Amino acid sequence: MDKRERLVTQANQLIEGAYEVNLTEIRLLYLALTKIDPRREQPESEYIIYPSEFNDMYSLGRIGYTQLKQAVSGLARKPIITYESDNTTVERFWFSSIKYTTTGEGFIVVKFSDSVREALYELRQEFTQMNLNELVKLDTQFAFRLYSWLYRYRRLDKYTNSQRVITTEPFGIEWMKERVGLTGKYPKLTDFRNRVLDPAIDMINAHTNLSVSYEMEKKGKQVRSFVFSYIDEKEHNVKALAPVKPLRPRLPNRPRVTSGSAAEGEWARQCITVMKNFQTALKAYDPKLRINTADRKKVEAWYSIIGLQMDGIFNRE
């Protein structure tokens, strides 16, 4: 399959809509969206999705016709809630029809509903276009959604500084939870960060074109929202720019090796080096800055693997 042009284009009302899906369902949805030409008038088109196409796109090799059928059926039953400018909400459904065919490997034919098509075709403004190839290694539906919310700011000049660092408006914690079906879950901030937000950030930093960091905003004594900053590494020449606040780097992927092996120790040393350079860069920018708590715990674990004391550069002063 030619993966060079796999563009996902949606009106921003869909990008910011509320819907709860699992990982396979959002992968299927984004693959289906790549088949749409947003410049066209709304056609009465149907789109074919093969299991082999899905597996090839996401480098899986394990999703069969039955699993794909379950995913598209589940996605079809789940509404997307969009928020309109006149303070109303609209409940939409992704598909108006689905055909299941068992010929050969089996395939599925979907047709987007009328209420969704208006946010997919003839788009002239207030839309976001992403390359699906940048998202294929994301492993949670929250990571997919967060990447989409961040990417919406990419071409908005007022959010981009002279060093091409893009900073978003505050994303409320409850705003994010509502849009991914997590309302009422992870009431403790630490749980939300450790189990939802930070893993998504780590995955985006490791496997996409974006390098992302965030700061927490408080209302009173409680953290209510996050402000994200990122650069698009494919367009960002760091050496040519004036000093800016360093963004968290990507970490080496953990190899599939035995715990306690020399290979694991080498990986831990590589991670320590990356994070030590990041801490040095943070202090050079602002002597008060330190890596966050989650990263500090990772550093402690890496030092434990190699049996050494943690370097003093990571001390809290």
Side-chain angles (χ1 to χ4, degrees), residues 202-239:
D202 289 346
M203 186 60 59
I204 289 171
N205 285 339
H207 294 299
T208 78
N209 55 316
L210 304 186
S211 288
V212 186
S213 64
Y214 66 78
E215 295 182 356
M216 295 179 286
E217 287 198 344
K218 290 184 177 181
K219 185 176 182 180
K221 294 183 178 180
Q222 289 189 315
V223 174
R224 298 293 189 185
S225 60
F226 296 87
V227 175
F228 297 89
S229 296
Y230 70 89
I231 57 173
D232 185 336
E233 292 188 348
K234 291 188 175 180
E235 298 185 357
H236 196 81
N237 183 359
V238 176
K239 294 181 179 180

Coordinates of all heavy atoms in Angstrom, one line a residue, residues 202-239:
D202 N 4.1 10.6 26.1 CA 5.3 9.8 25.8 C 5.2 9.2 24.5 O 6.2 9.1 23.7 CB 5.5 8.8 26.9 CG 6.0 9.3 28.3 OD1 6.4 10.5 28.3 OD2 5.9 8.6 29.3
M203 N 4.0 8.6 24.2 CA 3.9 8.0 22.9 C 3.9 9.0 21.7 O 4.6 8.7 20.7 CB 2.5 7.2 22.9 CG 2.3 6.4 21.6 SD 3.4 5.0 21.4 CE 3.3 4.1 22.9
I204 N 3.3 10.1 21.9 CA 3.4 11.1 20.8 C 4.8 11.6 20.6 O 5.3 11.7 19.5 CB 2.5 12.3 21.2 CG1 1.0 11.9 21.1 CG2 2.7 13.5 20.3 CD1 0.0 12.9 21.6
N205 N 5.5 11.8 21.7 CA 6.9 12.3 21.6 C 7.8 11.2 21.0 O 8.8 11.5 20.2 CB 7.5 12.6 23.0 CG 7.0 14.0 23.5 OD1 6.5 14.8 22.7 ND2 7.0 14.2 24.8
A206 N 7.5 9.9 21.2 CA 8.4 8.9 20.7 C 8.1 8.5 19.3 O 9.0 8.1 18.6 CB 8.2 7.6 21.6
H207 N 6.9 8.7 18.8 CA 6.5 8.1 17.5 C 5.9 9.0 16.5 O 5.4 8.5 15.5 CB 5.6 6.9 17.8 CG 6.2 5.7 18.5 ND1 7.3 5.1 18.0 CD2 6.0 5.2 19.7 CE1 7.7 4.1 18.9 NE2 6.9 4.2 19.9
T208 N 5.8 10.3 16.8 CA 5.2 11.2 15.8 C 6.1 12.4 15.5 O 7.2 12.4 16.1 CB 3.8 11.8 16.3 OG1 4.1 12.8 17.3 CG2 2.9 10.7 17.0
N209 N 5.7 13.3 14.7 CA 6.5 14.4 14.3 C 6.4 15.5 15.4 O 7.1 16.5 15.2 CB 6.0 15.0 13.0 CG 4.5 15.3 13.0 OD1 3.7 14.5 13.5 ND2 4.1 16.5 12.5
L210 N 5.6 15.4 16.4 CA 5.5 16.4 17.4 C 6.3 16.1 18.7 O 6.4 14.9 19.1 CB 4.0 16.6 17.9 CG 3.0 16.9 16.8 CD1 1.6 17.1 17.4 CD2 3.4 18.0 15.9
S211 N 7.0 17.1 19.2 CA 7.6 17.0 20.5 C 6.8 18.0 21.5 O 6.8 19.2 21.3 CB 9.1 17.5 20.4 OG 9.8 16.5 19.8
V212 N 6.3 17.4 22.5 CA 5.2 18.0 23.3 C 5.7 18.1 24.8 O 6.3 17.2 25.3 CB 3.9 17.3 23.2 CG1 2.8 18.1 24.0 CG2 3.5 17.0 21.8
S213 N 5.4 19.2 25.4 CA 5.5 19.4 26.9 C 4.2 20.1 27.3 O 3.4 20.6 26.5 CB 6.7 20.2 27.3 OG 6.7 21.5 26.8
Y214 N 4.0 20.1 28.6 CA 2.8 20.9 29.1 C 3.1 21.5 30.5 O 4.1 21.1 31.2 CB 1.6 19.9 29.2 CG 1.7 18.8 30.2 CD1 1.5 19.0 31.6 CD2 2.0 17.5 29.8 CE1 1.6 18.0 32.5 CE2 2.0 16.5 30.7 CZ 1.8 16.7 32.1 OH 1.9 15.7 33.0
E215 N 2.3 22.5 30.8 CA 2.3 23.1 32.1 C 0.9 23.0 32.7 O -0.1 23.1 32.0 CB 2.8 24.5 32.0 CG 4.3 24.6 31.6 CD 4.7 26.1 31.6 OE1 3.9 27.0 31.8 OE2 5.9 26.3 31.3
M216 N 0.8 22.9 34.0 CA -0.5 22.8 34.7 C -0.9 24.2 35.1 O -0.1 25.0 35.6 CB -0.4 21.9 35.9 CG -0.1 20.4 35.5 SD 0.0 19.3 36.9 CE 1.6 19.8 37.5
E217 N -2.2 24.5 35.0 CA -2.8 25.7 35.4 C -3.7 25.5 36.6 O -4.6 24.6 36.5 CB -3.5 26.4 34.3 CG -2.6 27.1 33.3 CD -3.3 28.1 32.4 OE1 -4.6 28.1 32.4 OE2 -2.6 28.9 31.8
K218 N -3.6 26.3 37.6 CA -4.5 26.1 38.8 C -5.6 27.1 38.9 O -5.4 28.3 38.4 CB -3.6 26.2 40.1 CG -2.6 25.0 40.3 CD -1.9 25.2 41.6 CE -1.0 24.0 41.9 NZ -0.3 24.1 43.2
K219 N -6.7 26.7 39.5 CA -7.7 27.7 39.9 C -7.8 27.5 41.4 O -8.3 26.5 41.9 CB -9.0 27.3 39.2 CG -10.1 28.3 39.5 CD -11.4 28.1 38.7 CE -12.5 29.1 39.0 NZ -13.7 28.8 38.2
G220 N -7.3 28.5 42.1 CA -7.2 28.3 43.6 C -6.0 27.4 43.8 O -4.9 27.6 43.3
K221 N -6.3 26.3 44.6 CA -5.2 25.3 44.9 C -5.3 24.1 44.0 O -4.4 23.2 44.1 CB -5.3 24.9 46.3 CG -5.0 26.1 47.3 CD -5.0 25.5 48.8 CE -4.7 26.7 49.7 NZ -4.7 26.2 51.1
Q222 N -6.3 24.0 43.1 CA -6.5 22.8 42.3 C -6.1 23.0 40.9 O -6.4 24.1 40.3 CB -7.9 22.3 42.4 CG -8.3 21.7 43.7 CD -9.7 21.1 43.7 OE1 -10.6 21.6 43.1 NE2 -9.8 19.9 44.2
V223 N -5.4 22.0 40.3 CA -5.1 22.1 38.9 C -6.4 21.8 38.1 O -7.1 20.8 38.3 CB -4.0 21.0 38.5 CG1 -3.8 21.0 37.0 CG2 -2.7 21.3 39.2
R224 N -6.7 22.7 37.2 CA -8.0 22.6 36.4 C -7.7 22.3 34.9 O -8.6 21.9 34.2 CB -8.8 23.8 36.6 CG -9.3 24.1 38.0 CD -10.2 23.1 38.5 NE -10.9 23.5 39.7 CZ -11.7 22.7 40.4 NH1 -12.0 21.5 40.0 NH2 -12.2 23.1 41.6
S225 N -6.5 22.7 34.5 CA -6.3 22.6 33.0 C -4.8 22.5 32.7 O -4.0 22.6 33.6 CB -6.8 23.9 32.3 OG -6.2 25.0 32.8
F226 N -4.5 22.2 31.5 CA -3.1 22.0 31.0 C -3.0 22.9 29.8 O -3.9 23.0 28.9 CB -2.8 20.6 30.6 CG -2.9 19.6 31.7 CD1 -4.1 19.0 32.1 CD2 -1.7 19.3 32.4 CE1 -4.1 18.1 33.1 CE2 -1.8 18.4 33.5 CZ -3.0 17.8 33.8
V227 N -1.8 23.5 29.7 CA -1.4 24.3 28.5 C -0.3 23.5 27.8 O 0.8 23.2 28.5 CB -1.0 25.7 28.8 CG1 -0.4 26.4 27.6 CG2 -2.1 26.5 29.4
F228 N -0.4 23.2 26.6 CA 0.5 22.3 25.9 C 1.4 23.2 24.9 O 0.9 24.2 24.3 CB -0.1 21.3 25.1 CG -0.9 20.3 25.9 CD1 -2.2 20.5 26.2 CD2 -0.3 19.1 26.4 CE1 -2.9 19.6 27.0 CE2 -1.0 18.2 27.1 CZ -2.3 18.5 27.5
S229 N 2.7 22.9 24.8 CA 3.6 23.5 23.9 C 4.2 22.4 23.1 O 4.5 21.3 23.6 CB 4.6 24.4 24.6 OG 4.1 25.4 25.3
Y230 N 4.4 22.7 21.8 CA 5.1 21.7 21.0 C 5.7 22.3 19.7 O 5.4 23.4 19.4 CB 4.1 20.6 20.5 CG 3.0 21.0 19.5 CD1 3.3 20.9 18.1 CD2 1.8 21.5 19.9 CE1 2.3 21.2 17.2 CE2 0.8 21.8 19.0 CZ 1.1 21.7 17.6 OH 0.1 22.0 16.7
I231 N 6.6 21.5 19.2 CA 7.2 21.9 17.9 C 6.9 20.7 16.9 O 6.8 19.5 17.3 CB 8.7 22.1 18.0 CG1 9.4 20.9 18.5 CG2 9.0 23.4 18.8 CD1 11.0 21.1 18.5
D232 N 6.8 21.0 15.6 CA 6.8 20.0 14.6 C 8.2 19.8 14.1 O 8.8 20.6 13.5 CB 5.9 20.5 13.4 CG 5.7 19.4 12.4 OD1 6.6 18.5 12.3 OD2 4.7 19.5 11.6
E233 N 8.8 18.6 14.5 CA 10.2 18.4 14.3 C 10.5 18.4 12.8 O 11.7 18.6 12.4 CB 10.6 17.1 14.9 CG 10.6 17.1 16.4 CD 11.2 15.9 17.0 OE1 11.4 14.9 16.3 OE2 11.4 15.9 18.3
K234 N 9.6 18.1 11.9 CA 9.9 18.1 10.5 C 10.0 19.5 9.9 O 10.5 19.6 8.8 CB 8.8 17.3 9.8 CG 8.7 15.8 10.0 CD 7.8 15.1 9.2 CE 7.9 13.6 9.4 NZ 6.9 12.8 8.5
E235 N 9.6 20.5 10.6 CA 9.7 21.8 10.1 C 10.5 22.7 11.0 O 10.6 23.9 10.8 CB 8.3 22.5 10.0 CG 7.4 21.8 9.1 CD 6.0 22.5 8.9 OE1 5.8 23.5 9.6 OE2 5.2 22.0 8.1
H236 N 11.2 22.1 12.0 CA 11.8 22.9 13.1 C 13.3 22.7 13.0 O 13.8 21.6 13.3 CB 11.3 22.5 14.4 CG 11.5 23.5 15.5 ND1 10.8 24.6 15.7 CD2 12.5 23.5 16.5 CE1 11.3 25.3 16.7 NE2 12.3 24.7 17.2
N237 N 14.1 23.7 12.7 CA 15.5 23.6 12.7 C 16.0 24.2 14.0 O 16.2 25.4 14.1 CB 16.1 24.4 11.5 CG 17.6 24.3 11.4 OD1 18.3 23.7 12.3 ND2 18.2 24.9 10.4
V238 N 16.2 23.4 15.0 CA 16.5 23.9 16.4 C 17.8 24.7 16.4 O 17.9 25.7 17.0 CB 16.6 22.7 17.3 CG1 17.0 23.1 18.7 CG2 15.3 21.9 17.4
K239 N 18.8 24.3 15.7 CA 20.1 24.9 15.7 C 20.1 26.4 15.2 O 20.9 27.2 15.5 CB 21.2 24.1 15.0 CG 21.5 22.8 15.6 CD 22.5 22.0 14.8 CE 22.8 20.6 15.5 NZ 23.8 19.9 14.7

